[in-house]
Amino acid sequence: MIMFKGWWHVLPEEERQQWTSEPFTRVGPLRFDMSPLEVRDVMSDVTSEAERHTWRTGRTGSARTVIEGRYQEFGLHLYYRDERLAGVVIDALCGPQVFADGTALVGRVPSELEQWMLDRADARPPYTELTYMGAGVPASESLGVTINVQRNGDRLVTRPMFYPVEALDDLSHWLPWDAWTVL
């Protein structure tokens, strides 16, 4: 029997899987450019994919198909372009904890993580590290991550979005519009 734990139940840190990010290459066991079948095999020990949606983006002549796979209970939204993994979004409430440069990125206070990104950017050449997406959401061009937010009751916590290097050419259109919304 499954018990309802409430809309805003947050999985305690010690119950989350601990993953690391390798910029533009992988997030935990997921490697960008994997096929949906390869992803399913890697994730089969953890959870099964619950839903799949197809999105059409772009203008008529340049329309692209993006497929979204949801591992709802595990807290993952995966996006595929041309049948290859092209985006990983981690749910702030129940997804695995992902570390980049030794810093936890999931379920954090947004202003604290933004300050970490600003401090990190100070140590890099100007204009090569930190950018802002719509609504002031910070993105790291060296880590391949955008730090979006998600509601946790009356607060916002971080919901990172990872992508391969080719996404930097048109990041705001790389994933479907709903990937960028606040949940």
Side-chain angles (χ1 to χ4, degrees), residues 141-181:
E141 291 189 355
S142 67
L143 293 175
V145 63
T146 296
I147 305 298
N148 207 343
V149 292
Q150 180 175 339
R151 284 188 59 204
N152 175 14
D154 294 334
R155 309 180 312 134
L156 294 176
V157 290
T158 56
R159 176 175 66 107
M161 308 167 71
F162 300 89
Y163 33 81
V165 71
E166 56 268 20
L168 293 177
D169 292 337
D170 190 12
L171 186 54
S172 62
H173 296 103
W174 185 254
L175 300 176
W177 65 270
D178 80 317
W180 301 102
T181 59

Side-chain angles (χ1 to χ4, degrees), residues 1-181:
M1 179 169 104
I2 298 174
M3 290 186 58
F4 179 69
K5 295 183 178 183
W7 292 113
W8 311 114
H9 175 73
V10 178
L11 192 64
E13 193 72 20
E14 62 274 4
E15 293 181 27
R16 294 176 187 253
Q17 283 201 7
Q18 305 293 299
W19 288 6
T20 57
S21 170
E22 186 177 319
F24 305 111
T25 305
R26 68 179 335 122
V27 180
L30 303 173
R31 189 184 71 256
F32 291 113
D33 209 33
M34 291 175 100
S35 71
L37 185 59
E38 291 171 312
V39 169
R40 188 190 75 202
D41 289 345
V42 167
M43 295 300 294
S44 66
D45 291 341
V46 178
T47 187
S48 60
E49 186 176 59
E51 305 175 34
R52 196 169 267 231
H53 299 281
T54 301
W55 304 91
R56 305 240 187 273
T57 62
R59 295 193 172 101
T60 310
S62 64
R64 291 189 191 118
T65 300
V66 177
I67 297 173
E68 175 189 10
R70 291 185 183 179
Y71 292 82
Q72 202 71 30
E73 288 184 23
F74 191 67
L76 286 178
H77 291 246
L78 306 180
Y79 295 91
Y80 301 89
R81 294 170 68 120
D82 300 323
E83 291 294 312
R84 295 295 182 206
L85 184 61
V88 176
V89 179
I90 310 291
D91 187 282
L93 306 181
C94 64
Q97 182 57 266
V98 180
F99 292 86
D101 274 356
T103 298
L105 303 180
V106 180
R108 302 270 314 271
V109 174
S111 60
E112 291 174 3
L113 203 50
E114 181 186 30
Q115 187 59 56
W116 172 76
M117 293 174 78
L118 286 165
D119 294 343
R120 193 174 178 280
D122 284 344
R124 302 191 180 292
Y127 311 111
T128 64
E129 175 56 24
L130 190 61
T131 60
Y132 286 89
M133 304 294 292
V137 175
S140 168
E141 291 189 355
S142 67
L143 293 175
V145 63
T146 296
I147 305 298
N148 207 343
V149 292
Q150 180 175 339
R151 284 188 59 204
N152 175 14
D154 294 334
R155 309 180 312 134
L156 294 176
V157 290
T158 56
R159 176 175 66 107
M161 308 167 71
F162 300 89
Y163 33 81
V165 71
E166 56 268 20
L168 293 177
D169 292 337
D170 190 12
L171 186 54
S172 62
H173 296 103
W174 185 254
L175 300 176
W177 65 270
D178 80 317
W180 301 102
T181 59

